[in-house]
Amino acid sequence: MEYLAGQYDVIVIGAGHAGCEAALAAARMGCKTLILTISWDNVALMPCNPAIGGPAKGHLVREIDALGGQMGLTIDATAIQIRMLNTGKGPAVHALRAQADKKKYQQYMIQVLEHQQNLDVRQAMVESIRVEQGQVQGVLTQTGAFFAAPNVVITSGTYLKGRIIIGDLHYPGGPNGYFPSTELAASLRDIGVQLGRFKTGTPARVDGRTVDFTKMVEQPGDEDPLNFSFISPRIERKQISCWLTYTTEETHQIIRDNLHRSPLYAGVIEGTGPRYCPSIEDKVVRFADKKSHQVFVEPEGANTHEMYVQGMSTSLPEDIQLAMLRSIIGMENVKIIRPGYAIEYDYVVPTQLKLSLEHQTIQGLFTAGQVNGTSGYEEAAAQGIIAGINAACRAQGKEPFILKRSDAYIGVLIDDLVTKGTNEPYRMLTSRAEYRLLLRQDNADQRLTQIGRTIGLVDDIRYERFQRKMDRVGQEKELWSKTFVTPGNARLQEILEQKQSSPLTKGLSLFDLLRRPELTFDDLHSLLEYDEAPETVDPEVAEQVEISAKFEGYLVKQQAQVERFNKLESRRLPPDLDYASIGGLSTEARQKLMARRPESLGQASRISGVNPADISILLVYLEQRRRRDNGGNGE
Amino acid sequence: MEYLAGQYDVIVIGAGHAGCEAALAAARMGCKTLILTISWDNVALMPCNPAIGGPAKGHLVREIDALGGQMGLTIDATAIQIRMLNTGKGPAVHALRAQADKKKYQQYMIQVLEHQQNLDVRQAMVESIRVEQGQVQGVLTQTGAFFAAPNVVITSGTYLKGRIIIGDLHYPGGPNGYFPSTELAASLRDIGVQLGRFKTGTPARVDGRTVDFTKMVEQPGDEDPLNFSFISPRIERKQISCWLTYTTEETHQIIRDNLHRSPLYAGVIEGTGPRYCPSIEDKVVRFADKKSHQVFVEPEGANTHEMYVQGMSTSLPEDIQLAMLRSIIGMENVKIIRPGYAIEYDYVVPTQLKLSLEHQTIQGLFTAGQVNGTSGYEEAAAQGIIAGINAACRAQGKEPFILKRSDAYIGVLIDDLVTKGTNEPYRMLTSRAEYRLLLRQDNADQRLTQIGRTIGLVDDIRYERFQRKMDRVGQEKELWSKTFVTPGNARLQEILEQKQSSPLTKGLSLFDLLRRPELTFDDLHSLLEYDEAPETVDPEVAEQVEISAKFEGYLVKQQAQVERFNKLESRRLPPDLDYASIGGLSTEARQKLMARRPESLGQASRISGVNPADISILLVYLEQRRRRDNGGNGE
Ligand SMILES: Cc1cc2nc3c(=O)[nH]c(=O)nc-3n(C[C@H](O)[C@H](O)[C@H](O)COP(=O)(O)OP(=O)(O)OC[C@H]3O[C@@H](n4cnc5c(N)ncnc54)[C@H](O)[C@@H]3O)c2cc1C
Ligand SMILES: Cc1cc2nc3c(=O)[nH]c(=O)nc-3n(C[C@H](O)[C@H](O)[C@H](O)COP(=O)(O)OP(=O)(O)OC[C@H]3O[C@@H](n4cnc5c(N)ncnc54)[C@H](O)[C@@H]3O)c2cc1C
């Protein structure tokens, strides 16, 4: 029997990575918020790899953090290993990556949620979304509780009509042994949400006691690891190693011999899988000439022997999984703790959404995370915080909050999804960002803290810390620019010689000297004279000075591109625009524009099928309309 | 497709409280052991109250510990509160009780299992038990893995054909959101195991932030809490309080008004529930004149706001649950985190079992825990260790290991189940033990450590610690017996006056003086003269001295009863006894004896329907048979 169980400003369905960020954002912005999940034990669960960050994903975490989100703080508090990847390359692709203690990560997040003001937490299986006259009214649970709210954020991950597949075994199920969310999928269809079907997979977990690590390459953590969050304190942590090993010809042979038993090739799986996290059987088929693939063996926590076998995601039957694993170097006697599996699930076709992640036609219905066709915890969390903010903005009568492609990877992610759509689980990659020299992980705070402050998510502690850092960066840059060195400076010339840098022949500022690629901040720092006793400079500050010296030219150039880009972005397309009445548009463009309803000319230009010619027509049309409107008003 | 996934001496299905003890016992006894569970995340889960111990249950934990089991050590390491209950009463009913940090308890147990030598751990849904010619061959999992073993221990708890019920909502499910074990139930039926149906229930969990504790009575932990395990080190722990409150007339009215919506009264539930953990609706109906019932609000962990509401177990619909909770003093604004529910499940009728917990007709099939018709973590663990030991004994060609009713509460529990059966979930109570003055929680080590040592479960550390304690108790008792005091001892007379104990009029030993109820060990201890510098006596040692002084008479008397009892127990009934051929037995007795096959005359005497007259006839018959056998051999 249905009963009214509560009234909220914002309800978040799901407490995965998207749901946690969404709920915390809305509650922290002052909305009366409820978070619902199938089990209060699956909060912030990592059903696949026990790791956060890595290329592009690490950027997302830093951006979430700068906005006042939670993921960075939680992983900092619970990581068992942190490494900065790609340090040999330019700063745009530096990427922080952490191994999580999976259970501790969950516990920490549960504690944060349970202690959050304005946030109620509740275990419940939502079975339907109630919509009246195109406006969300609330949600109904399996046990008859109706929770009323004008704003609902769905973050149902891989649970929607989930189906587990291992070889020829398949049954309805969510990840990690949880129940699937079957009724909710039906309800979404009923209210007119367009759903598609994707699949993803995860490898077996093995018993670390049965792995011979002496045959593998140790992957230790950094000596002096950084944090994800700009405000985490320095944390003393025992870094636990991961291990690198390889598949063998035998592995590939086992797979080829058993492809007929793969549900993928047997047609049992309909959903499309992620190209960038392919199963091992996929890799062996697609790269038939590769003799071996990398495999990383990663601990699932500080106190468990359970280990994740990255690179071996599969839906092959269990006996083949075991044979495959035992053909990997160092895993000859391995024992499985949990088998790998694939999961097929419904997702919400993201081109139905606005850039705020609100549904185009169902007011107050937001979706975020894997349910929008992405893959990955960070991608989920990034959408989560944006959907949470926008649900709160809507509740508070504020304008939607949108990050542009030039603001953040988060902007790229959401624009890609909403504007271009995706026909496979979408993963963030650095190559998807046009302005990646500007969108670095090291400057996420400079890009987003102020924005987060304006929204109301950045608290005083974070804001003051940020301002202090910026002040210090400014002072340091000024000092470097003011400090002139000349060829007569013997100590300097000695340093240059040591560093195999050509001798100085004319005077210049230290800042200009720092532009030389072979010289670092630390090399030249001793040449500075501070007003007060020589201080050690925070590496964060040093990094900013160094990057701005070395990349100033590129940065300026990219900034100019952004300005051009923003011209089209700032040309808003009115939501009521009648594309049918605009002459000259190609048929495809007209159809796409009518369906997608882009919010700006920029967004329109990225819809496939909308060509530069169509954009020109729209530009002209907008200009005429502006003149007419102005004229109309002026007369 | 089926494949051979491994070969073991002992396989344990289930990693609940019974399964953990069973697997650890078998592995520690040197058997190659495998533990299987539906999810590697539900290990040692407490799906109901987050507490271990209490009257009779605390005794079981101590006995498990003395035998070399794990429960005591795990709860000691993870408790957030420990109290000794009933300290105002005699030592037979003193009972240790701990609140557990539920998640930490699980984590700790997982760590112990994963680090246990000889033990493989694996997540798998077992679908069938293979039996050939009455002998277990192994188990087959959902993913096609066949694990071979001649000994299998089933500890499937409440999962067998589990069904969740909340008001008019019901669906197949295990506890706490896990999948039920449906195929296994069918397989058990197929191999001839007789199953019954029971049910149990659990209350809602609430958000501690919405409880007004100022209206409740605080239940703090002990100042200087004891441990469950005889070998746990002293642990510094911040004790967290529980809270006592009451239902109101309004609560009862709400229940009465909504009984028609109770699945119990509407006939939705077929299984029989536990009389000693009744649902609140049961209590209100059965004790209609009671104006209020006690309710304890207990934290589920150190870092969570989630709280358990003891006394409010229910299967009423969620809206009634909420109304009911809000009518309790201090819960006027309470919010639910998880609703309460009932679960119905198949259990194995325990009268099919031998005292070793092996099935009477299926060789190598053991069952233990809630699946045998009990309720409670401690009852489960107690059976688990015995089944594990016996599976190992069988694997190693040793005699079955049986604790008698006079040895331990564990003996009482198993004898009750196997001999008398149960028609509701069986719970341990002190009143079930005839020899409770001997079976105290304080002397579990004296009763069982030597036995555990002989089996091979008690390691050197535990054994030496035990011997040291016994030596100290012996020395101390001797000293008290040797130390004579006389009426001329002014200090003594002063102490007696202070304690309102009558003055000494003739000389006697301090040990004899300690028999006076009003005097304690500590009162008199200062009168002793030690050879070496006066030492502080370990409270454990002092307790034993005091108990043996004060209760010597009763203990001797009860010991004599035990000897009489043992006479009948030692009369073994051969398994092949042809009861049909024994004249004079009542028809009922003959049928019961043929079905149950008791292992001794003592056990036979406790089968309902077997009367003293039948026992006399059996005695005479056994005597004749013995003479005949002896005569036959002698001639
Ligand atoms: C098998 C598997 C393989 C994966 N492989 C990869 C990979 O290769 N690479 C990669 O980057 N990532 C992978 N993922 C990653 C990952 O699951 C997701 O991307 C991430 O967890 C998504 O976060 P989310 O918050 O969107 O959803 P989830 O973390 O799945 O959380 C969903 C939440 O919604 C709740 N929910 C759903 N329906 C309801 C309902 N009706 N009522 C109430 N609550 C509901 C659930 O309880 C849960 O709390 C994989 C996941 C799985 C399960
Ligand atoms: C709703 C509820 C109410 C309860 N109420 C009370 C109460 O009022 N008082 C009280 O004292 N106790 C109560 N209990 C207590 C408690 O559940 C049990 O008594 C105790 O947990 C039993 O321990 P166990 O080891 O026998 O089984 P469980 O702890 O249930 O463990 C069973 C194990 O078997 C595994 N398993 C089952 N089937 C399979 C399979 N096919 N393949 C592989 N693994 C399998 C499961 O994964 C699990 O690990 C309640 C439990 C529930 C769920």
Side-chain angles (χ1 to χ4, degrees):
Chain A
M1 210 176 80
E2 184 179 325
Y3 76 105
L4 180 65
Q7 195 120 20
Y8 293 88
D9 298 324
V10 175
I11 292 175
V12 177
I13 303 174
H17 306 282
C20 289
E21 295 295 348
L24 288 171
R28 287 170 181 171
M29 285 171 68
C31 289
K32 202 179 158 209
T33 307
L34 172 68
I35 186 165
L36 296 169
T37 168
I38 294 175
S39 167
W40 193 241
D41 300 316
N42 77 352
V43 172
L45 177 71
M46 300 184 191
C48 199
N49 53 327
I52 299 266
K57 290 169 176 264
H59 290 66
L60 289 172
V61 180
R62 285 241 155 143
E63 291 177 353
I64 294 164
D65 183 67
L67 286 171
Q70 189 58 44
M71 183 172 247
L73 287 163
T74 301
I75 184 63
D76 284 344
T78 59
I80 55 175
Q81 185 197 88
I82 300 193
R83 286 171 72 189
M84 185 67 85
L85 307 181
N86 297 336
T87 46
K89 303 185 192 161
V93 295
H94 288 186
L96 207 53
R97 181 182 188 283
Q99 289 300 131
D101 185 309
K102 206 152 148 171
K103 297 258 162 103
K104 289 212 186 105
Y105 188 93
Q106 290 192 267
Q107 285 311 297
Y108 193 97
M109 202 60 113
I110 287 176
Q111 206 178 331
V112 170
L113 294 175
E114 287 184 0
H115 286 77
Q116 177 61 49
Q117 239 198 324
N118 299 325
L119 182 60
D120 284 350
V121 304
R122 176 110 168 199
Q123 172 174 302
M125 171 70 89
V126 174
E127 293 202 331
S128 66
I129 310 284
R130 188 159 305 157
V131 176
E132 275 169 26
Q133 293 167 322
Q135 163 61 49
V136 163
Q137 305 295 321
V139 308
L140 181 64
T141 76
Q142 190 185 31
T143 49
F146 179 74
F147 295 99
N151 299 287
V152 170
V153 184
I154 302 180
T155 66
S156 55
T158 55
Y159 289 74
L160 269 191
K161 234 179 119 195
R163 189 167 71 123
I164 301 296
I165 303 149
I166 307 173
D168 51 7
L169 171 72
H170 48 92
Y171 56 88
N176 217 49
Y178 287 101
F179 280 103
S181 176
T182 308
E183 298 299 322
L184 181 58
S187 161
L188 288 177
R189 260 177 239 277
D190 285 351
I191 60 174
V193 176
Q194 191 196 339
L195 301 178
R197 198 116 176 111
F198 277 165
K199 73 116 196 171
T200 185
T202 192
R205 308 302 191 275
V206 299
D207 189 332
R209 294 179 295 173
T210 61
V211 176
D212 183 355
F213 296 114
T214 63
K215 296 190 182 161
M216 302 185 175
V217 186
E218 187 163 6
Q219 308 280 303
D222 287 346
E223 293 248 318
D224 199 15
L226 288 177
N227 284 322
F228 276 93
S229 172
F230 292 99
I231 60 168
S232 282
R234 259 200 69 79
I235 295 166
E236 279 300 324
R237 75 180 94 237
K238 206 180 116 233
Q239 298 254 68
I240 299 180
S241 291
C242 296
W243 302 86
L244 169 60
T245 183
Y246 296 92
T247 60
T248 60
E249 296 255 21
E250 192 193 337
T251 319
H252 302 192
Q253 195 56 47
I254 292 169
I255 292 170
R256 278 190 296 266
D257 289 349
N258 288 285
L259 271 184
H260 61 284
R261 297 186 58 201
S262 157
L264 209 64
Y265 292 86
V268 175
I269 295 181
E270 307 156 24
T272 314
R275 181 199 317 237
Y276 300 101
C277 304
S279 63
I280 182 68
E281 51 268 30
D282 253 6
K283 286 190 275 188
V284 167
V285 170
R286 278 207 274 151
F287 310 102
D289 48 345
K290 265 198 104 169
K291 297 242 177 316
S292 106
H293 292 279
Q294 280 192 333
V295 171
F296 290 92
V297 183
E298 307 174 351
E300 294 248 314
N303 301 313
T304 177
H305 282 312
E306 210 178 334
M307 300 193 86
Y308 177 83
V309 191
Q310 194 198 305
M312 293 297 290
S313 165
T314 186
S315 57
L316 282 164
E318 192 180 282
D319 52 330
I320 310 302
Q321 293 190 23
L322 185 63
M324 228 157 71
L325 288 170
R326 290 198 171 163
S327 70
I328 293 172
I329 298 164
M331 310 250 281
E332 295 79 4
N333 298 306
V334 83
K335 286 184 179 161
I336 289 178
I337 291 188
R338 320 189 197 217
Y341 62 93
I343 186 166
E344 217 182 30
Y345 55 95
D346 281 358
Y347 74 97
V348 170
V349 176
T351 48
Q352 303 164 80
L353 307 178
K354 303 185 197 169
L355 289 168
S356 63
L357 297 179
E358 191 183 8
H359 195 273
Q360 278 187 358
T361 57
I362 306 170
Q363 288 176 42
L365 185 70
F366 296 81
T367 51
Q370 189 124 355
V371 72
N372 278 349
T374 60
S375 150
Y377 315 130
E378 306 81 355
E379 288 85 346
Q383 293 169 68
I385 193 169
I386 298 299
I389 291 170
N390 276 306
C393 284
R394 190 167 179 277
Q396 296 169 340
K398 295 184 194 153
E399 283 294 296
F401 171 74
I402 287 154
L403 290 175
K404 292 197 297 289
R405 299 182 74 86
S406 52
D407 294 329
Y409 272 80
I410 301 180
V412 176
L413 166 70
I414 295 177
D415 183 62
D416 276 353
L417 284 176
V418 168
T419 309
K420 303 184 188 162
T422 181
N423 49 21
E424 64 184 329
Y426 176 101
R427 179 183 172 165
M428 198 68 236
L429 304 168
T430 45
S431 59
R432 299 193 192 270
E434 312 63 349
Y435 311 112
R436 42 177 185 288
L437 204 51
L438 294 176
L439 307 186
R440 302 186 314 274
Q441 53 92 28
D442 65 79
N443 72 352
D445 55 343
Q446 295 172 53
R447 294 184 276 119
L448 300 171
T449 309
Q450 186 59 54
I451 298 181
R453 181 73 177 176
T454 312
I455 313 166
L457 275 184
V458 166
D459 62 16
D460 292 347
I461 294 176
R462 180 184 293 274
Y463 195 54
E464 278 156 25
R465 175 97 49 114
F466 167 68
Q467 287 180 314
R468 228 176 315 129
K469 175 179 164 190
M470 286 303 95
D471 287 349
R472 282 181 0 251
V473 170
Q475 287 155 10
E476 196 71 19
K477 267 201 215 161
E478 202 186 318
L479 197 59
W480 284 66
S481 306
K482 278 191 339 204
T483 307
F484 270 79
V485 283
T486 56
N489 188 327
R491 218 165 97 237
L492 168 65
Q493 297 290 23
E494 200 178 313
I495 292 172
L496 293 178
E497 200 186 322
Q498 253 176 31
K499 294 282 148 188
Q500 303 184 300
S501 189
S502 53
L504 204 65
T505 53
K506 62 177 177 74
L508 82 182
S509 77
L510 268 187
F511 191 77
D512 284 334
L513 186 59
L514 188 56
R515 300 190 197 276
R516 294 190 178 180
E518 65 277 14
L519 297 177
T520 68
F521 185 98
D522 286 343
D523 293 335
L524 303 179
H525 184 230
S526 65
L527 297 165
L528 277 181
E529 276 165 35
Y530 289 92
D531 285 348
E532 294 168 30
E535 52 169 315
T536 61
V537 177
D538 190 329
E540 272 190 337
V541 173
E543 185 181 25
Q544 291 311 309
V545 176
E546 202 171 303
I547 290 175
S548 56
K550 292 206 188 321
F551 298 94
E552 202 170 43
Y554 303 99
L555 292 170
V556 168
K557 214 182 285 171
Q558 203 152 80
Q559 198 56 55
Q561 290 166 4
V562 165
E563 270 149 36
R564 280 197 299 282
F565 161 82
N566 274 339
K567 284 225 179 80
L568 275 188
E569 295 306 300
S570 63
R571 296 289 189 129
R572 315 299 303 163
L573 291 169
D576 61 346
L577 201 63
D578 180 13
Y579 293 101
S581 71
I582 304 175
L585 285 175
S586 73
T587 313
E588 183 181 1
R590 183 172 289 128
Q591 282 170 351
K592 290 267 175 80
L593 289 165
M594 281 163 69
R596 303 278 177 90
R597 305 231 142 255
E599 296 165 38
S600 68
L601 218 51
Q603 195 190 354
S605 72
R606 290 186 296 277
I607 295 175
S608 84
V610 177
N611 297 319
D614 301 309
I615 296 299
S616 302
I617 291 169
L618 284 176
L619 249 175
V620 171
Y621 173 84
L622 284 181
E623 195 51 31
Q624 285 171 343
R625 180 166 155 147
R626 193 179 61 82
R627 286 222 197 103
R628 191 189 58 212
D629 288 359
N630 281 354
N633 291 341
E635 267 168 25
Chain B
M1 209 178 78
E2 183 180 325
Y3 76 105
L4 180 66
Q7 193 121 21
Y8 293 88
D9 298 324
V10 175
I11 292 175
V12 177
I13 303 174
H17 306 282
C20 289
E21 295 294 348
L24 289 170
R28 287 170 181 172
M29 285 172 69
C31 290
K32 202 178 158 208
T33 308
L34 172 68
I35 188 166
L36 297 169
T37 169
I38 293 174
S39 166
W40 193 241
D41 299 316
N42 76 353
V43 173
L45 177 71
M46 298 184 192
C48 196
N49 54 327
I52 298 268
K57 289 169 175 267
H59 290 66
L60 289 173
V61 180
R62 286 239 153 146
E63 291 177 352
I64 294 164
D65 182 68
L67 286 170
Q70 188 60 42
M71 183 172 249
L73 288 162
T74 302
I75 183 63
D76 284 344
T78 59
I80 55 176
Q81 185 197 86
I82 301 194
R83 287 172 74 190
M84 184 67 85
L85 307 180
N86 297 335
T87 47
K89 302 186 191 161
V93 295
H94 288 187
L96 208 53
R97 181 181 188 283
Q99 288 302 130
D101 186 308
K102 208 152 145 172
K103 297 257 163 103
K104 288 211 186 107
Y105 188 94
Q106 290 194 269
Q107 285 311 298
Y108 193 96
M109 203 60 113
I110 289 175
Q111 205 178 333
V112 170
L113 294 176
E114 287 183 0
H115 285 77
Q116 178 61 49
Q117 237 199 323
N118 299 324
L119 182 62
D120 285 352
V121 305
R122 177 110 168 197
Q123 172 173 303
M125 171 71 88
V126 175
E127 294 203 329
S128 66
I129 311 286
R130 188 159 305 157
V131 176
E132 275 168 27
Q133 294 168 323
Q135 162 62 49
V136 163
Q137 305 297 322
V139 308
L140 182 64
T141 76
Q142 189 183 33
T143 49
F146 179 74
F147 295 99
N151 299 287
V152 170
V153 184
I154 303 181
T155 66
S156 55
T158 55
Y159 290 73
L160 272 191
K161 235 179 117 194
R163 190 167 70 123
I164 301 297
I165 303 149
I166 307 174
D168 52 7
L169 171 71
H170 48 92
Y171 55 88
N176 217 48
Y178 287 100
F179 280 103
S181 174
T182 307
E183 297 300 321
L184 181 58
S187 160
L188 288 178
R189 262 177 238 276
D190 285 349
I191 61 173
V193 175
Q194 191 195 338
L195 300 178
R197 198 117 176 109
F198 277 166
K199 75 116 195 170
T200 186
T202 193
R205 308 302 192 275
V206 300
D207 190 331
R209 293 179 296 174
T210 62
V211 176
D212 183 355
F213 296 112
T214 63
K215 296 190 184 163
M216 302 186 177
V217 186
E218 186 163 7
Q219 308 280 303
D222 288 344
E223 291 247 318
D224 198 15
L226 288 177
N227 283 321
F228 275 93
S229 172
F230 292 100
I231 61 168
S232 282
R234 260 199 68 79
I235 295 165
E236 279 300 324
R237 74 180 96 239
K238 208 181 115 232
Q239 297 254 68
I240 299 179
S241 290
C242 296
W243 302 86
L244 169 61
T245 183
Y246 296 91
T247 60
T248 60
E249 295 254 22
E250 192 194 337
T251 320
H252 303 191
Q253 195 56 48
I254 293 170
I255 291 169
R256 278 189 298 266
D257 289 350
N258 289 284
L259 272 184
H260 61 286
R261 295 185 60 202
S262 155
L264 209 63
Y265 292 85
V268 175
I269 294 182
E270 308 156 22
T272 315
R275 181 198 318 235
Y276 300 102
C277 305
S279 63
I280 182 70
E281 51 269 32
D282 253 6
K283 285 190 277 188
V284 168
V285 170
R286 278 206 274 150
F287 311 101
D289 48 346
K290 267 199 102 170
K291 297 242 178 316
S292 106
H293 292 279
Q294 281 192 330
V295 171
F296 290 92
V297 183
E298 307 173 351
E300 295 248 312
N303 301 315
T304 176
H305 283 311
E306 209 179 334
M307 299 192 87
Y308 178 82
V309 191
Q310 194 196 307
M312 295 296 290
S313 164
T314 187
S315 56
L316 283 163
E318 192 180 281
D319 52 331
I320 310 302
Q321 292 189 25
L322 186 62
M324 227 156 70
L325 289 170
R326 290 196 171 164
S327 70
I328 293 172
I329 299 164
M331 311 250 277
E332 295 77 5
N333 297 307
V334 84
K335 287 184 179 163
I336 289 178
I337 292 187
R338 320 188 197 216
Y341 63 92
I343 185 166
E344 216 181 30
Y345 56 95
D346 281 357
Y347 73 97
V348 170
V349 176
T351 48
Q352 303 164 80
L353 307 178
K354 303 184 198 171
L355 289 167
S356 63
L357 297 178
E358 191 182 10
H359 194 272
Q360 278 187 357
T361 58
I362 307 171
Q363 288 177 43
L365 185 71
F366 297 81
T367 51
Q370 189 125 354
V371 72
N372 279 347
T374 60
S375 149
Y377 315 129
E378 306 81 354
E379 289 86 346
Q383 293 169 68
I385 192 169
I386 300 297
I389 291 170
N390 276 305
C393 285
R394 190 167 178 276
Q396 295 170 339
K398 294 183 194 154
E399 285 293 297
F401 171 74
I402 288 154
L403 290 174
K404 292 198 296 292
R405 299 181 75 86
S406 51
D407 293 330
Y409 272 80
I410 301 180
V412 175
L413 165 70
I414 294 178
D415 184 60
D416 276 353
L417 284 175
V418 168
T419 310
K420 303 184 186 160
T422 182
N423 48 23
E424 65 185 327
Y426 177 103
R427 177 183 173 168
M428 199 68 237
L429 303 169
T430 46
S431 60
R432 300 194 192 265
E434 317 54 355
Y435 311 112
R436 39 177 188 287
L437 204 53
L438 295 175
L439 307 187
R440 302 187 313 274
Q441 53 92 27
D442 65 77
N443 73 351
D445 53 344
Q446 295 172 51
R447 294 185 278 120
L448 300 171
T449 310
Q450 185 59 54
I451 298 180
R453 181 72 176 176
T454 311
I455 313 165
L457 274 183
V458 166
D459 62 16
D460 292 348
I461 293 176
R462 182 185 290 276
Y463 195 55
E464 279 156 24
R465 174 98 48 116
F466 168 67
Q467 287 181 314
R468 228 178 313 129
K469 176 179 164 190
M470 286 302 96
D471 287 350
R472 274 168 22 236
V473 170
Q475 287 156 10
E476 196 70 20
K477 265 199 217 167
E478 202 187 316
L479 197 59
W480 284 67
S481 305
K482 275 190 343 201
T483 306
F484 270 79
V485 283
T486 57
N489 189 328
R491 216 167 97 237
L492 169 64
Q493 296 291 22
E494 200 180 312
I495 292 172
L496 293 178
E497 200 186 322
Q498 253 177 29
K499 293 283 148 184
Q500 303 184 297
S501 189
S502 53
L504 204 63
T505 54
K506 62 175 176 73
L508 82 182
S509 75
L510 268 188
F511 191 76
D512 285 333
L513 186 60
L514 187 56
R515 298 189 198 278
R516 295 189 178 179
E518 66 275 15
L519 297 177
T520 67
F521 185 98
D522 285 344
D523 293 335
L524 303 180
H525 184 230
S526 66
L527 297 165
L528 277 180
E529 276 165 33
Y530 289 91
D531 285 349
E532 293 167 31
E535 50 169 315
T536 60
V537 176
D538 189 329
E540 272 191 336
V541 172
E543 185 182 26
Q544 291 311 309
V545 175
E546 201 171 305
I547 290 175
S548 56
K550 291 206 187 323
F551 297 93
E552 200 170 43
Y554 304 98
L555 294 170
V556 167
K557 217 183 282 172
Q558 201 151 84
Q559 197 56 55
Q561 289 167 5
V562 165
E563 270 149 37
R564 280 196 299 282
F565 160 83
N566 274 338
K567 283 227 179 79
L568 276 188
E569 294 307 297
S570 64
R571 295 288 190 129
R572 315 299 302 165
L573 290 170
D576 59 348
L577 202 63
D578 180 14
Y579 292 101
S581 71
I582 303 175
L585 287 175
S586 73
T587 314
E588 184 182 1
R590 183 172 289 127
Q591 283 169 352
K592 290 269 176 75
L593 290 165
M594 280 162 70
R596 302 279 176 89
R597 306 234 141 252
E599 296 166 39
S600 69
L601 217 50
Q603 196 189 353
S605 73
R606 290 186 297 277
I607 296 175
S608 84
V610 177
N611 297 318
D614 302 309
I615 296 299
S616 301
I617 290 167
L618 284 175
L619 248 176
V620 171
Y621 174 85
L622 283 180
E623 193 53 30
Q624 285 172 344
R625 181 167 153 146
R626 191 178 62 82
R627 288 224 196 102
R628 193 189 58 213
D629 288 0
N630 281 354
N633 291 343
E635 265 169 27

